[in-house]
Amino acid sequence: MPSSSDIRKQFIDYFVQKRGHTFVASSPVVPHDDPTLLFTNAGMNQFKDTFLGTGSREYTRAANSQKCIRAGGKHNDLEDVGRDTYHHTFFEMLGNWSFGDYFKAEAIAWAWELLTDVWGLEKDRLHVTVFAGDAGDGLEADTEAADLWKSLTDIDHGHIHLGDKKDNFWEMGDTGPCGPCSEVHIDLTPDKSGHALINADDARMIEIWNLVFIQYNRDSGGRLSPLPAKHVDTGMGFERVCAVLQGKSSNYDSDVFTPIFDAIREVTGAAAYAGRDDDAKDIAYRVIADHARCLTVALTDGATPSNEGRGYVLRRILRRAARHGRQTLGVTEPFLHKLVPAVVSVMGEAFPELTKSPQRVIDLIRDEEESFGRTLDRGIELFHDAAGRGGGRVSAQDAFKLHDTYGFPLDLTQVMADERGMEVDVAGFNTLMAEAREQARSGGGGSDSTAELAQAIGHDSPPATVFTGYDEIETRVKTFCLIYKQGENTYNRAASAKPGDAAALVLGKSPFYAAAGGQVGDQGTIKNEQGGVFRVTDTLKAAGVIIHVGEVEAGEFGEASVSTQEAAFTLRVDAGRRDAIMRNHTGTHMLNRALREVLGDHVQQKGSLVDDQKLRFDLSHDSVITAEQINEIEQLVNGDIASDLPVYAEEAPQEDAIKIHGLRAVFGEKYPPRVRVVSIGAPVDDLLAEPENADWRRYSIEFCGGTHLTKTGDAEGFVVIGEEAVAKGVRRIVGMTGPAAHRVAAQGERLVARLDSLGGAGVEQLAGAVTELADAVAEQELPLLAAAKLRDGLATLRKKLKQHDKEHSKASAHTVVAAARELAEQADGELIVSEVAGADPSTLRTAMDVVRKKHPDAAVLLGAVSGDKVGFVAAVPKALIDKGLKAGDWVREVAKAAGGGGGGRPDMAQAGGKDPAKLGEALEVARSFASSKLSATGCTPS
């Protein structure tokens, strides 16, 4: 019986050694360069640009085992995992591809040979399906594939079946490459009678291989168009074929999972896995093992749990597994993280990246588990609240919140409700779940108009643009000119463009840098000989073609065909903006080196943005970067700037450059066969001559296609203006270089000097200064260290002011109480209305207590000016309330007279006004209002 490792190797060897394919390593499950996908969900994802005709490879045949996740987006198997024995969130996809080379005949013949001759599967157990056609898309049946199965293999012709669009037309997403497919199924029934179970989601008749014949592209409007060349994309479920070849009835019985099951039993103490379909314990085993694999691979490949996008999907996966551990296996402590070593042991040989930083993955999972433990307890409280107010029914909103926020699956909520004799609004819950799935499915993003532009240009297939921007920012060229005018979410080829037209120009040569690698695209102008001026507002790139996006400002631009290349243009990049971008980009490289030196070798770049205003750098790091570390980082970068080091940039073969010791590359980024190496301080030729030299680690060495300074001194200076967390285990640093860095540094120094000058200032001066400094810190960009010092200093000054106010308030309280006592002694009758000088809202209430103690049967209203406002408080005894005077009504009318409002209970109320000058008038209103409510007999206002 072959092991899973043997099976993987046999597949790859067949296509690489026998059929001339190139082995291509699996891409990460996090598609860093494709915003339309939550996760890599098929082997063809990394070749999408080739299928679209916007990219190319040095080979035309490829094979590999691709790491895939289907737990969100168009392809989502999450809810099926554990319930059956053949669905997974994470799985390997064995695949072979042809890029405009072979097509259906070879794909079908080789698939049959591998399955029956190499692996020896029984031919009479194999069935295939072919596309039956679809009238809605105007597609005919794939009779070509059916005929090839009959002529090139000895399959039983009765085992060739027609399948509809749902099962036999493959699409990666709502848009993109697609085409008819032919699926291979294996009949696992004892008597080989399972033909009626094809595509019935039955483990006795299971799909093991899908041969996709990619020949169309579907655009955002749902339209199909032929691709420039026909391709083959096949995908075989590794876990499924392992189970078949090892004679197992379940994927989970193969050696892909048994070592992980052993680890689950060891860390949880649960009884051994028995392989039963409907047993809660065995379902928990399957869920936990699958989800542990998914999380280990996804976190290794750069994803992090969060509250949105793919991070949200991973958080749900983790919580689902942890909930099964607690509810079914009785585990009360975090345990999932303890399964990471078992996953790495099983998969590390095939995917060596799993062995590089397993401790980081362990730490991330453990932190999430601990957080969920607290969340789970809160969820139980929420259920009790929902049950208490539900009137015999848990609402859809509460059930969904329990599921979506606290990880409670619907069945658990139903069990808890049943224990109380309640029911759950399942229909409403399912509606909310459908809405949530739609939101997750569409979670990619990206600009529709930009995608349409790239597609339009790709279909026209103009020659790749010669980029001259490394050496010049202005050039005069004679070349072709293609024009694409912008419509609503689309660009269309046009013969000309006039002033005011939003358009995109494609030329044969350009110094404009197209947005890539975190660096924004250039801006500037393009002029023709007829006086036309095109303002370039952004520069993009697709299929090697530089796209100048902008608007015609003057004159007219007409198309010049590729064949004639007859038009002359002057292209000028905005020099000041380009210089600022280069300062920030070279500064980013110096920052990357400094971060690694200060924080450690675990630092990996997670993203960046370089524009003319600032630089932004995301890095893997699990804790706040301290002020001391920021200071050290700034010193290292400014030290490199002061050293005025040369910046070298040269192209080299990727296979040679990747060996350079200390090289930094963005994890998950796809690099071409020839890469541009940017080195600060060390000539690239020297690096390539001695790639293993450990001294290179001291330098900044990166793969980078961006534009850079020629020497570090031109960056002029560097300062960090921000540091924050952007996701679990990911920090972000924002910095500035050049004049911008000098400007914010000067602002910081000025404000810190102002703060220092307040050391001996009096209280009256402090109040205004604190407000001034606080506004400056909130509104101005400042060095992070200066801002921190200012915040600390302001906190100290506020504490000083607060202490003064407290002491002043205490002294004022004594004065107010004395005045209140004097008022109480002098007042007489049932109605007391008076100003209390110097009282604030707190001491005014104290004054009321003093007066009422002396006159408990009187109606009392007191007023006082406090700053730019006036306050009132009123109290009325029950006897006078019965006569018609209520404190809330009384104080409300009085406050109106001073431009305010308020109210309260009949016996006690307070209000405020905005016009202190109206206090006297308001007190007269108080007397007249009260008098009108009370009998004049025995009523003596004071």
Side-chain angles (χ1 to χ4, degrees):
M1 182 176 70
S3 69
S4 56
S5 295
D6 293 336
I7 293 167
R8 186 189 294 110
K9 184 174 186 299
Q10 288 164 359
F11 179 93
I12 293 172
D13 286 351
Y14 174 82
F15 283 102
V16 172
Q17 296 179 11
K18 188 171 183 179
R19 298 301 177 190
H21 290 57
T22 297
F23 174 77
V24 180
S26 170
S27 63
V29 293
V30 178
H32 298 281
D33 56 350
D34 189 343
T36 67
L37 289 175
L38 280 175
F39 298 101
T40 298
N41 58 27
M44 61 81 64
N45 289 166
Q46 68 169 306
F47 306 118
K48 180 178 176 181
D49 59 335
T50 302
F51 293 136
L52 280 171
T54 60
S56 62
R57 300 292 187 276
E58 292 188 329
Y59 44 84
T60 59
R61 301 180 179 186
N64 78 356
S65 183
Q66 171 64 49
K67 300 173 295 184
C68 299
I69 291 178
R70 291 186 178 176
K74 185 178 178 69
H75 301 283
N76 184 0
D77 292 338
L78 177 59
E79 299 303 329
D80 294 322
V81 172
R83 296 178 181 176
D84 61 31
T85 60
Y86 54 91
H87 277 103
H88 309 284
T89 57
F90 168 82
F91 63 97
E92 290 184 51
M93 183 177 286
L94 300 171
N96 59 287
W97 294 271
S98 165
F99 310 122
D101 187 345
Y102 63 84
F103 199 44
K104 294 180 184 180
E106 294 86 349
I108 289 171
W110 296 343
W112 187 255
E113 182 181 42
L114 177 63
L115 291 171
T116 60
D117 293 352
V118 177
W119 282 337
L121 293 179
E122 297 176 70
K123 297 178 181 180
D124 57 353
R125 287 193 179 275
L126 297 177
H127 292 249
V128 298
T129 59
V130 296
F131 182 46
D134 184 80
D137 276 329
L139 297 173
E140 297 181 353
D142 191 1
T143 55
E144 179 187 7
D147 291 342
L148 288 169
W149 277 110
K150 294 175 183 177
S151 63
L152 297 178
T153 77
D154 54 353
I155 191 172
D156 184 334
H157 291 190
H159 286 196
I160 302 172
H161 313 271
L162 293 176
D164 60 16
K165 179 180 175 181
K166 173 180 176 292
D167 294 314
N168 281 90
F169 193 87
W170 195 92
E171 302 190 63
M172 186 177 66
D174 290 335
T175 62
C178 54
C181 62
S182 186
E183 296 177 341
V184 181
H185 299 253
I186 187 164
D187 184 350
L188 300 177
T189 60
D191 58 355
K192 306 177 184 178
S193 62
H195 63 277
L197 301 176
I198 290 175
N199 288 327
D201 284 332
D202 193 303
R204 294 170 296 173
M205 173 64 82
I206 195 165
E207 175 199 343
I208 57 173
W209 205 347
N210 190 8
L211 314 181
V212 181
F213 309 121
I214 297 180
Q215 55 196 93
Y216 303 108
N217 179 64
R218 190 181 296 277
D219 62 25
S220 59
R223 299 176 296 271
L224 292 176
S225 58
L227 288 169
K230 296 178 180 180
H231 314 289
V232 171
D233 160 34
T234 86
M236 172 184 287
F238 173 69
E239 292 78 6
R240 292 184 181 184
V241 78
C242 284
V244 169
L245 293 176
Q246 292 178 4
K248 307 296 182 181
S249 60
S250 161
N251 294 1
Y252 293 93
D253 292 335
S254 74
D255 67 346
V256 175
F257 286 94
T258 49
I260 304 173
F261 284 171
D262 291 341
I264 293 172
R265 187 176 69 250
E266 181 179 344
V267 302
T268 66
Y273 177 73
R276 290 165 293 196
D277 290 354
D278 56 357
D279 180 76
K281 170 183 64 66
D282 291 343
I283 291 173
Y285 261 93
R286 291 192 288 269
V287 169
I288 291 168
D290 172 271
H291 290 7
R293 294 202 321 153
C294 180
L295 290 164
T296 300
V297 172
L299 299 184
T300 296
D301 281 358
T304 53
S306 67
N307 286 326
E308 58 186 14
R310 65 175 63 98
Y312 171 69
V313 174
L314 293 176
R315 179 163 285 168
R316 284 189 61 213
I317 288 172
L318 188 148
R319 291 181 172 185
R320 191 169 185 259
R323 195 270 307 173
H324 272 286
R326 177 173 293 196
Q327 181 187 355
T328 309
L329 304 184
V331 185
T332 58
E333 298 296 325
F335 73 96
L336 272 174
H337 66 281
K338 298 177 183 178
L339 303 178
V340 172
V343 175
V344 173
S345 176
V346 173
M347 300 178 60
E349 181 179 357
F351 306 106
E353 60 270 21
L354 294 174
T355 66
K356 292 183 178 179
S357 300
Q359 189 59 49
R360 174 182 172 273
V361 176
I362 290 170
D363 292 343
L364 282 171
I365 294 177
R366 183 180 59 244
D367 288 348
E368 282 289 317
E369 286 188 275
E370 291 172 348
S371 174
F372 179 57
R374 296 187 292 271
T375 303
L376 181 58
D377 295 336
R378 176 69 187 94
I380 292 172
E381 292 179 18
L382 176 65
F383 174 82
H384 291 319
D385 292 343
R389 65 173 179 269
R393 184 180 178 90
V394 177
S395 72
Q397 290 77 13
D398 284 329
F400 181 75
K401 187 173 184 181
L402 283 165
H403 180 281
D404 197 56
T405 304
Y406 298 103
F408 278 47
L410 180 62
D411 55 0
L412 176 58
T413 303
Q414 288 175 300
V415 168
M416 296 173 70
D418 186 63
E419 292 171 353
R420 289 179 170 237
M422 302 176 65
E423 61 180 16
V424 179
D425 181 1
V426 176
F429 172 87
N430 288 334
T431 298
L432 294 174
M433 279 297 296
E435 293 173 357
R437 288 194 185 100
E438 173 62 22
Q439 183 177 1
R441 184 192 63 77
S442 60
S447 167
D448 288 343
S449 62
T450 300
E452 289 278 0
L453 174 58
Q455 181 178 319
I457 293 172
H459 281 182
D460 289 338
S461 300
T465 309
V466 177
F467 175 61
T468 63
Y470 292 138
D471 303 313
E472 61 184 4
I473 61 171
E474 182 175 351
T475 186
R476 178 175 168 79
V477 297
K478 195 165 186 178
T479 180
F480 65 87
C481 174
L482 303 184
I483 301 171
Y484 298 83
K485 288 172 64 173
Q486 185 177 12
E488 185 175 351
N489 281 338
T490 186
Y491 279 82
N492 298 305
R493 181 85 168 265
S496 64
K498 298 178 180 179
D501 284 346
L505 303 187
V506 173
L507 309 174
K509 185 177 180 182
S510 174
F512 282 78
Y513 179 82
Q519 180 176 327
V520 298
D522 277 335
Q523 297 177 357
T525 58
I526 299 174
K527 298 181 180 180
N528 62 22
E529 292 185 318
Q530 293 74 41
V533 179
F534 184 84
R535 175 67 58 184
V536 180
T537 56
D538 197 7
T539 308
L540 309 174
K541 192 173 187 179
V545 176
I546 293 178
I547 307 166
H548 309 86
V549 180
E551 181 178 318
V552 179
E553 286 190 343
E556 185 174 349
F557 280 76
E559 180 173 289
S561 68
V562 172
S563 59
T564 58
Q565 298 199 12
E566 60 187 8
F569 301 92
T570 300
L571 295 82
R572 180 180 293 112
V573 175
D574 183 328
R577 185 174 181 272
R578 167 72 83 83
D579 287 345
I581 292 171
M582 291 195 298
R583 284 193 293 267
N584 285 330
H585 202 157
T586 303
T588 301
H589 283 225
M590 291 186 282
L591 172 62
N592 194 359
R593 185 194 74 83
L595 287 166
R596 186 172 77 249
E597 185 165 334
V598 174
L599 302 180
D601 283 334
H602 68 278
V603 169
Q604 294 286 338
Q605 181 175 341
K606 291 296 182 180
S608 66
L609 173 67
V610 177
D611 61 24
D612 57 322
Q613 301 296 316
K614 59 186 177 299
L615 62 90
R616 191 181 75 200
F617 191 88
D618 294 348
L619 64 141
S620 56
H621 190 61
D622 292 328
S623 58
V624 174
I625 303 175
T626 66
E628 292 76 14
Q629 290 170 328
I630 292 291
N631 183 52
E632 188 175 354
I633 290 164
E634 285 185 341
Q635 288 182 357
L636 284 171
V637 175
N638 283 309
D640 285 346
I641 293 172
S643 298
D644 202 20
L645 301 170
V647 179
Y648 302 94
E650 293 183 27
E651 282 196 355
Q654 184 193 136
E655 60 185 20
D656 296 334
I658 201 72
K659 300 174 185 177
I660 298 173
H661 191 82
L663 173 80
R664 307 297 284 181
V666 178
F667 186 77
E669 186 77 27
K670 288 194 303 184
Y671 292 102
R674 289 192 63 80
V675 293
R676 188 166 180 261
V677 181
V678 175
S679 168
I680 297 178
V684 176
D685 289 344
D686 293 352
L687 302 177
L688 294 171
E690 295 183 82
E692 302 300 326
N693 189 333
D695 288 342
W696 300 146
R697 189 188 176 283
R698 297 186 293 109
Y699 297 91
S700 166
I701 308 166
E702 300 188 32
F703 288 164
C704 181
T707 58
H708 284 273
L709 303 171
T710 57
K711 49 190 176 62
T712 59
D714 291 340
E716 300 181 22
F718 171 77
V719 65
V720 174
I721 64 170
E723 191 277 340
E724 63 179 344
V726 293
K728 193 78 171 179
V730 179
R731 309 295 300 184
R732 171 171 292 170
I733 283 185
V734 181
M736 289 181 166
T737 60
H742 295 315
R743 173 177 55 80
V744 299
Q747 288 174 175
E749 291 170 1
R750 178 178 60 80
L751 293 176
V752 169
R754 173 66 172 143
L755 175 70
D756 292 340
S757 72
L758 297 174
V763 171
E764 295 78 8
Q765 184 183 358
L766 276 184
V770 166
T771 301
E772 172 196 337
L773 281 174
D775 289 345
V777 172
E779 295 170 2
Q780 296 184 23
E781 289 179 323
L782 296 170
L784 188 65
L785 298 180
K789 183 174 182 179
L790 287 165
R791 282 191 291 268
D792 290 344
L794 285 169
T796 300
L797 293 180
R798 288 191 181 104
K799 187 175 180 181
K800 183 177 180 180
L801 287 171
K802 187 175 181 180
Q803 181 63 31
H804 173 268
D805 290 344
K806 185 177 180 181
E807 293 172 355
H808 178 71
S809 178
K810 189 175 181 181
S812 297
H814 288 302
T815 303
V816 170
V817 168
R821 285 174 179 163
E822 182 179 351
L823 172 62
E825 291 295 332
Q826 295 176 355
D828 192 13
E830 291 181 313
L831 183 61
I832 302 172
V833 177
S834 179
E835 176 185 0
V836 181
D840 58 22
S842 177
T843 54
L844 190 59
R845 289 191 294 272
T846 301
M848 173 62 76
D849 292 339
V850 171
V851 175
R852 290 189 69 197
K853 187 174 182 181
K854 183 73 173 177
H855 299 276
D857 299 323
V860 183
L861 186 143
L862 304 177
V865 173
S866 178
D868 59 353
K869 295 181 180 179
V870 58
F872 302 98
V873 62
V876 180
K878 186 176 184 307
L880 298 186
I881 293 173
D882 293 341
K883 289 186 177 183
L885 181 61
K886 297 178 180 179
D889 297 338
W890 192 17
V891 80
R892 185 181 303 111
E893 291 301 317
V894 173
K896 287 180 182 177
R905 304 192 314 268
D907 62 327
M908 176 67 73
Q910 64 184 34
K914 301 176 182 178
D915 190 350
K918 297 288 183 67
L919 175 58
E921 183 180 330
L923 293 179
E924 285 301 322
V925 171
R927 293 184 181 95
S928 62
F929 182 87
S931 297
S932 70
K933 295 292 183 182
L934 300 174
S935 171
T937 304
C939 178
T940 308
S942 298

